[in-house]
Amino acid sequence: ANSPNTNYLITKGIINKVQAQQQPFFVYAHYQDQHTPFLPPTGHLQRFSDEFNMPAKELMKRYLHIHRSGPYNKYRPNMADSEWEVIRAVYDAMLSYTDQWVDHLVDYIQSNLDNTIIVITGDHGELLGEYDFLTHYYRAYEELCNVPLIVLGPTAITDYDGPIQHIDIVRTLLE
């Protein structure tokens, strides 16, 4: 299972690696904590558990019960709306935690490394009840294919609102 410490370790590892760089470099980071099972720290979970009028630990207990009650990556047509809401709240808490560490990394790079381009994207979306699925497999639904792409750096990249594929990122950066 994933540990919420993974985000910390990835961020600190990258910062340690780039501190020693004297030459141009490329770093790839893949944050895994927002993959199932979602295990956000209690502080992040509390922000989302308040809407359920329960402590964060109780919300996590409900999530783990739902998570264990059926297979992941499956069609779940019999889940109640309240169960989907619990899953979404825990997922949002996990994203909040991941955002914290990505923000920390971006702040470090922008404060300490000139002339650096940062690309942030997702590898896929997640179905959290849409079409009664709990998955990121099987079909090319919009919710799975439409992921953020953020480019930060000294070189302006023209806004573009058409479709972009991950395969286009390196070519675009090299141009």
Side-chain angles (χ1 to χ4, degrees):
N2 296 330
S3 163
N5 292 327
T6 305
N7 285 340
Y8 165 81
L9 293 171
I10 289 171
T11 300
K12 291 301 184 182
I14 290 172
I15 289 173
N16 290 339
K17 181 83 171 166
V18 300
Q19 284 175 335
Q21 293 298 320
Q22 300 297 319
Q23 302 290 327
F25 62 91
F26 173 85
V27 175
Y28 172 82
H30 191 100
Y31 289 87
Q32 286 289 321
D33 288 339
Q34 63 281 1
H35 290 79
T36 185
F38 312 130
L39 303 172
T42 303
H44 288 269
L45 190 58
Q46 190 62 52
R47 292 177 43 205
F48 297 92
S49 67
D50 289 344
E51 67 187 73
F52 294 91
N53 295 318
M54 68 178 70
K57 288 184 181 186
E58 179 63 27
L59 180 62
M60 180 54 75
K61 186 176 170 182
R62 286 190 185 185
Y63 163 73
L64 290 173
H65 174 75
I66 295 165
H67 178 75
R68 293 177 181 137
S69 68
Y72 183 74
N73 292 332
K74 294 293 180 189
Y75 182 58
R76 290 186 169 193
N78 299 321
M79 281 184 49
D81 289 345
S82 61
E83 292 176 305
W84 288 118
E85 289 170 10
V86 166
I87 290 171
R88 288 184 199 109
V90 174
Y91 181 74
D92 288 346
M94 196 68 252
L95 290 179
S96 169
Y97 179 70
T98 300
D99 283 348
Q100 170 190 320
W101 287 106
V102 171
D103 285 347
H104 182 73
L105 180 59
V106 169
D107 288 345
Y108 174 83
I109 291 171
Q110 289 181 328
S111 298
N112 295 288
L113 301 170
D114 295 331
N115 200 28
T116 301
I117 298 171
I118 302 167
V119 178
I120 302 169
T121 190
D123 56 347
H124 55 76
E126 200 75 25
L127 293 177
L128 302 171
E130 297 85 358
Y131 318 102
D132 291 326
F133 275 103
L134 179 59
T135 187
H136 56 256
Y137 297 122
Y138 297 122
R139 299 194 175 124
Y141 289 116
E142 182 72 14
E143 293 86 352
L144 299 177
C145 298
N146 190 3
V147 296
L149 175 63
I150 302 166
V151 180
L152 306 168
T155 305
I157 294 181
T158 306
D159 287 339
Y160 179 75
D161 62 359
I164 298 173
Q165 298 180 49
H166 285 127
I167 198 168
D168 297 323
I169 294 172
V170 172
R171 180 182 49 81
T172 301
L173 292 174
L174 292 174
E175 288 180 350

